[in-house]
Amino acid sequence: METIKEFYSIGEVSRLCNVSRKAMRFYDEIGLIHPDKVGSNNYRFYSREALLNLTILKYYKQMGFKLEEMRNLMDTEEYQEIEHGFLRKISELEDEQVSIENQLTSVRDWYSLLLEAQTDRLARIKEENKLAGWAPEAVKPECSFDDFEKVDIRVGKVLECEKVNKSKKLLKFKIDDGMGGRTILSGIAGSYPEPEKLVGMEVLFIANFAPRNMMGHESQGMILSAVNPDGSLTLCSPSSDVAPGAQVG
């Protein structure tokens, strides 16, 4: 337990108040603290009141007061002057807070853009690496010509094409097949986000698949498409006009 003394040396004040001797000397030089006793060797001693004032100075510094502002607060006992000093500091800090918040918002926005750009870059590199290493799928097991003859591939002309409600993958085609027309559903919506642009296009489809129900619609066949290295799909179409219903083989 510290013994209560009348005067304390600069070293004792430094230790008790956790203030460096260099800071003590600086505060002394600019008049923020004053020694209560000066020895014959110019060694300076401070009273308990000086210790308390030094503690107050530490808090003023922590609150962001400038040296001149601290001096003014320490030199006056007028409440209004002290109040004015604190209100001015509050206003100053509030302005700084607004500025810092604006800066922080800007930094966060740019950081989000940076993350987004880096994410896109990594995704692009991954896709490029995937494409660079792409190779065709292995050939499926052999089938006989008789097996191929069972598949009835025809040419059809797209009369209507639209997205299927509640489905992210399916497009609904109305096809002129030269035999009265048919409806075929195809899971290529991801590759053709504007299905109405497919109207008038000639496509290849398998005509003799058994009808099946998909999302409440009957699909009467299968439209043929090629799978690209990036996973997108491209509709198979004859290179020149062909009559709807013409067989492929």
Side-chain angles (χ1 to χ4, degrees):
M1 182 176 180
E2 293 287 341
T3 302
I4 298 177
K5 300 168 61 175
E6 185 177 0
F7 297 107
Y8 297 84
S9 69
I10 189 170
E12 290 173 322
V13 175
S14 175
R15 178 174 58 83
L16 291 171
C17 296
N18 194 28
V19 178
S20 71
R21 296 189 183 198
K22 183 178 180 180
M24 285 281 300
R25 293 189 183 95
F26 177 69
Y27 290 156
D28 195 327
E29 288 174 5
I30 64 176
L32 283 177
I33 59 172
H34 306 279
D36 296 280
K37 178 182 177 182
V38 180
S40 57
N41 59 353
N42 202 35
Y43 209 78
R44 308 165 96 74
F45 295 89
Y46 302 87
S47 66
R48 287 184 59 79
E49 184 179 354
L51 267 67
L52 293 174
N53 286 339
L54 190 57
T55 302
I56 293 172
L57 281 174
K58 287 179 61 180
Y59 279 111
Y60 283 164
K61 183 178 179 182
Q62 181 178 330
M63 288 183 274
F65 284 99
K66 300 179 178 66
L67 289 175
E68 189 61 33
E69 293 172 331
M70 289 192 285
R71 192 199 321 275
N72 294 336
L73 290 171
M74 297 296 291
D75 288 346
T76 184
E77 294 182 357
E78 293 292 331
Y79 170 78
Q80 288 184 338
E81 290 186 27
I82 296 173
E83 180 185 40
H84 179 70
F86 271 85
L87 290 176
R88 186 172 62 248
K89 177 55 65 176
I90 289 172
S91 177
E92 178 185 318
L93 292 174
E94 286 176 342
D95 290 342
E96 290 181 8
Q97 183 180 22
V98 171
S99 176
I100 289 172
E101 287 176 350
N102 289 336
Q103 292 175 31
L104 182 59
T105 298
S106 297
V107 171
R108 282 175 172 162
D109 288 344
W110 276 100
Y111 181 59
S112 296
L113 291 173
L114 179 65
L115 287 179
E116 183 178 341
Q118 178 67 355
T119 299
D120 291 344
R121 174 177 170 274
L122 293 176
R124 187 173 65 254
I125 291 173
K126 182 179 179 181
E127 187 63 25
E128 288 172 354
N129 291 337
K130 177 181 175 182
L131 295 178
W134 181 84
E137 294 286 337
V139 176
K140 294 180 179 180
E142 288 185 358
C143 67
S144 66
F145 184 76
D146 290 339
D147 290 332
F148 174 74
E149 280 284 285
K150 294 177 182 178
V151 180
D152 190 356
I153 302 174
R154 304 271 182 144
V155 176
K157 187 172 184 177
V158 180
L159 300 176
E160 297 177 12
C161 187
E162 61 184 3
K163 294 180 180 179
V164 175
N165 289 335
K166 299 181 181 180
S167 174
K168 295 181 180 180
K169 296 182 178 181
L170 292 176
L171 294 182
K172 179 183 175 183
F173 288 80
K174 185 174 181 181
I175 302 291
D176 177 4
D177 62 356
M179 299 172 284
R182 67 178 63 208
T183 297
I184 301 177
L185 272 65
S186 181
I188 60 172
S191 300
Y192 292 94
E194 298 178 287
E196 64 277 3
K197 291 185 177 181
L198 298 177
V199 173
M201 181 178 181
E202 290 185 331
V203 296
L204 305 184
F205 69 94
I206 297 177
N208 60 339
F209 273 2
R212 60 172 178 158
N213 190 281
M214 302 169 68
M215 298 292 292
H217 301 273
E218 184 179 72
S219 181
Q220 302 164 320
M222 184 179 81
I223 293 176
L224 299 181
S225 59
V227 182
N228 297 305
D230 62 358
S232 64
L233 299 171
T234 299
L235 289 168
C236 295
S237 178
S239 59
S240 58
D241 290 342
V242 179
Q247 284 189 311
V248 177

